[in-house]
Amino acid sequence: MSSFRELGNQKFKAGEYKEAEQFYTQAIAEHSRSDPKVFTNRALTRIRLQDWPGAESDARKAIELYGTKNKNAAMKSHYYLAQALLPQRHVGEALEEAKTAYAICLETHDSSAELIGGFILKAKQAQWQAKETARLREMNETLALVEDLLDAQLQRDLDAVEVKFKAGEIGETGRREEVEELQREAEVRRANIRRGFEDKGVPDSAERVVPDWLIDPITFEVMHDPVVTPTGVSYERVSLLKHIKAVGCDPLTRQPLKPDQLIPNVALKNACAEFLEKNGWAADW
């Protein structure tokens, strides 16, 4: 006879997340209150269900159960916690949890490093966007009012999707697709609104954007002295040398890498310097 945890795994693989959640809950209630793997599995299931508070609670419990002696095993739990925190707008903590998961990946040569790196960049951009929103709203009270109306409309639309989901009119996939589309549309409207409020005579009135090519893939900070690896990926020199000293391999390919294999990326360094000269604010990224 399969255990509740095994049944939960089967349902999860089949995409039946609500049923998987129920089996994991039964497993926890009957015999797995001290098993961090079950809480980690249920956290991921709740992420699929977009139950962010539930996923957050499970991920925190898993991290607690793993403890400091098993921090490497808790990598997924830290990542799931980050994924649960970001939609709840706990951006700073989401970023720190994702960085913890990323550091574990680099240390253990886990293949999830690239995936988590992409999430960190997304969280970093969300953090920057929040700062930009506050800055622009302080500059223009009318913009603040319009964006508040936009946020309120988005929330009404999202609530309507939840009503349809709970009424059985749409499934989990339909809900996710509708939510993603509403969020994309809201971002387009926000960008258009901000362009309309730009004052050409006041450069700071425009939304400021940090280009991805300026960001170091290890620290996710702005690069100043980039070097390129044999695989063609550029990193900030100091962060990559520190990584090589600690681990001795390429951050992405996990192949052996030595300091003398690094080549200064002169073109990128000049581009970074030019951008920072014209956009000093980017140093605060």
Side-chain angles (χ1 to χ4, degrees), residues 63-283:
I63 292 169
E64 176 190 332
L65 290 172
Y66 276 120
T68 55
K69 294 183 179 180
N70 297 302
K71 68 171 187 175
N72 289 353
M75 184 275 290
K76 289 183 179 178
S77 301
H78 284 290
Y79 180 41
Y80 297 159
L81 177 54
Q83 288 180 278
L85 289 168
L86 190 59
Q88 298 182 81
R89 298 186 179 183
H90 303 312
V91 183
E93 189 180 2
L95 188 56
E96 290 307 309
E97 290 296 330
K99 284 182 176 180
T100 297
Y102 184 76
I104 294 172
C105 285
L106 293 183
E107 184 179 334
T108 60
H109 301 186
D110 192 287
S111 60
S112 300
E114 187 171 3
L115 174 65
I116 297 175
F119 177 88
I120 289 176
L121 185 57
K122 177 183 175 183
K124 190 87 172 179
Q125 290 168 332
Q127 187 179 55
W128 176 257
Q129 186 179 49
K131 291 180 180 178
E132 275 297 276
T133 295
R135 185 184 69 84
L136 291 174
R137 288 185 173 190
E138 285 179 5
M139 292 183 66
N140 194 313
E141 292 181 2
T142 305
L143 173 62
L145 175 60
V146 173
E147 289 198 342
D148 283 343
L149 293 172
L150 177 63
D151 289 341
Q153 182 59 55
L154 173 60
Q155 190 58 56
R156 285 193 292 271
D157 291 341
L158 292 175
D159 290 343
V161 171
E162 286 300 308
V163 170
K164 289 199 297 182
F165 174 71
K166 291 177 180 178
E169 297 176 20
I170 56 175
E172 292 161 10
T173 300
R175 176 177 66 165
R176 184 176 64 254
E177 290 176 347
E178 287 198 29
V179 167
E180 290 174 353
E181 181 60 26
L182 287 170
Q183 291 172 337
R184 279 194 296 269
E185 290 176 353
E187 286 306 310
V188 170
R189 293 192 189 101
R190 187 185 305 280
N192 290 336
I193 288 169
R194 289 187 177 179
R195 278 195 295 269
F197 275 85
E198 283 182 22
D199 184 346
K200 303 301 180 183
V202 182
D204 283 347
S205 65
E207 183 174 10
R208 304 179 303 196
V209 178
V210 178
D212 290 351
W213 53 261
L214 196 67
I215 307 304
D216 171 40
I218 294 178
T219 64
F220 301 95
E221 302 296 334
V222 173
M223 290 190 288
H224 304 279
D225 184 19
V227 291
V228 62
T229 66
T231 56
V233 180
S234 292
Y235 300 85
E236 177 66 17
R237 183 191 298 274
V238 173
S239 65
L240 183 55
L241 287 175
K242 183 178 179 181
H243 172 79
I244 293 173
K245 182 179 180 180
V247 184
C249 69
D250 185 295
L252 291 183
T253 67
R254 294 174 296 285
Q255 296 298 313
L257 183 63
K258 298 180 179 179
D260 59 12
Q261 292 179 275
L262 308 181
I263 300 173
N265 191 333
V266 178
L268 181 56
K269 182 176 182 178
N270 291 338
C272 290
E274 182 179 356
F275 183 88
L276 288 171
E277 184 177 347
K278 296 178 179 178
N279 304 277
W281 48 264

